[in-house]
Amino acid sequence: MTDRYAVIGNPIAQTKSPKLHAAFARQFGHDMTYEAILGPIGGFAEAVRAFRAAGGKGMNVTVPFKVEALELADRLTERARLAQAVNTLKFDEDGSILGENTDGVGLVRDIQGRVGVALRAKRVLLLGAGGAARGALLPLLEEQPSRLVIANRTPAKAEALRARVAAYGNVAAGGFADFAGEQFDVVINATSASLSGEDVPLPVGSYAAGSLAYDLVYGKGNTPFMSHALENGAAQVADGLGMLVAQAAEAFYLWRGVRPDVTPVIDMLRAA
Ligand code: NDP
């Protein structure tokens, strides 16, 4: 029987997930469908239950339902618990629902795989303290950087995130100007500044020789953050398209037990 999966969000018309999962399924010849569901505001749990009752095996969850998905899950992975957000649901045979968050691991896999920069023993600056930054923290710490700094426009939010992960590693937090004079090997822009064409006001000299500037935003060419990085000593920049594909690949792995090759799928999206 054909296995059914879906992404649920509101709005949902913009989603690339069906295209990604169709490409992954083709790689393995898996018999599955993947549809996009417009989740009703106030009716998320019912929509998930209906999909499951109709034979669904798992779902991706996007804005604005990631916290409702966290509450709906019977069990959470450590990543999802720390992120306080769920982007992947797996409907288990015993009737329970597992909640996972693959965004951060997708980011880390993209940086270390496609981009080719190892995070171990590196000085990492994470900009932003919203949902994406929250999801990235544990996967970043698992790679054992020598230093991890969270900097945010609202420093108190960065500090709250630091406190949340303090047990997992040595993390510092503050505002953008608080780390002037420090250099970083990897700077990750997990703010939404690039969505509105804005730059993040980093101190001059933040980029170490050979450093990487990675913007989670994609589809906008070189963002002001990426251009500023190149002008200020970064050796390479990358956008978040690879992360998008890699987080989808992690969900596919959770459901299907095989890990797709992301490279041809990233190429397909770029060509489109
Ligand atoms: P949130 O709304 O949860 O958080 C936004 C963050 O950006 C906050 O830290 C906020 O700071 C900061 N911010 C907003 N505007 C500015 C600005 N002008 N200057 C500096 N900081 C700013 O968003 P998410 O965390 O969910 O998403 C962040 C970005 O990551 C989005 O652009 C999203 O598209 C992208 N993303 C990409 C993914 C991918 O697969 N490539 C996956 C998930 C997200 P403050 O706390 O002060 O308000």
Side-chain angles (χ1 to χ4, degrees):
M1 207 175 86
T2 304
D3 290 335
R4 289 183 69 190
Y5 299 89
V7 58
I8 181 166
N10 188 329
I12 200 62
Q14 79 296 345
T15 184
K16 297 191 192 321
S17 294
K19 200 183 251 186
L20 297 179
H21 285 277
F24 296 157
R26 276 197 301 276
Q27 287 185 11
F28 301 103
H30 283 193
D31 182 15
M32 57 178 270
T33 61
Y34 188 107
E35 60 206 83
I37 295 176
L38 179 66
I41 302 298
F44 169 75
E46 287 69 25
V48 171
R49 285 193 194 101
F51 182 69
R52 182 179 200 174
K57 299 265 186 199
M59 292 178 103
N60 284 128
V61 180
T62 187
V63 178
F65 299 124
K66 289 185 182 183
V67 175
E68 282 182 73
L70 179 89
E71 287 156 4
L72 186 70
D74 300 301
R75 290 176 295 122
L76 294 172
T77 64
E78 189 62 359
R79 288 175 196 147
R81 192 185 67 75
L82 270 177
Q84 283 297 292
V86 158
N87 78 338
T88 305
L89 295 170
K90 181 169 182 261
F91 305 143
D92 283 328
E93 300 284 318
D94 65 1
S96 68
I97 301 179
L98 173 68
E100 165 67 300
N101 188 312
T102 64
D103 279 336
V105 75
L107 168 71
V108 164
R109 280 187 174 271
D110 193 44
I111 291 175
Q112 302 202 126
R114 178 184 66 104
V115 179
V117 171
L119 290 161
R120 194 183 172 87
K122 296 286 173 59
R123 297 161 292 180
V124 178
L125 174 60
L126 178 65
L127 305 171
R134 245 183 7 244
L137 270 177
L138 183 58
L140 285 173
L141 282 168
E142 283 170 350
E143 299 307 318
Q144 302 183 332
S146 62
R147 180 155 167 81
L148 180 59
V149 170
I150 313 165
N152 193 43
R153 181 174 63 180
T154 310
K157 288 192 197 165
E159 173 50 32
L161 266 196
R162 189 203 64 75
R164 179 187 285 275
V165 295
Y168 293 84
N170 187 13
V171 183
F176 298 131
D178 290 346
F179 301 95
E182 243 195 90
Q183 291 207 313
F184 296 92
D185 306 299
V186 177
V187 180
I188 299 166
N189 184 12
T191 77
S192 48
S194 301
L195 283 181
S196 48
E198 289 173 71
D199 197 1
V200 182
L202 278 190
V204 173
S206 299
Y207 290 97
S211 56
L212 164 71
Y214 188 106
D215 202 330
L216 263 62
V217 168
Y218 55 86
K220 298 203 170 279
N222 267 14
T223 63
F225 163 79
M226 290 155 82
S227 301
H228 177 266
L230 288 170
E231 286 156 16
N232 286 275
Q236 60 173 324
V237 294
D239 72 6
L241 189 69
M243 171 180 174
L244 175 80
V245 177
Q247 61 78 24
E250 284 300 311
F252 192 92
Y253 176 69
L254 180 75
W255 295 328
R256 313 289 305 174
V258 283
R259 197 168 260 128
D261 180 2
V262 293
T263 308
V265 183
I266 295 170
D267 291 347
M268 173 190 82
L269 283 190
R270 282 224 197 273

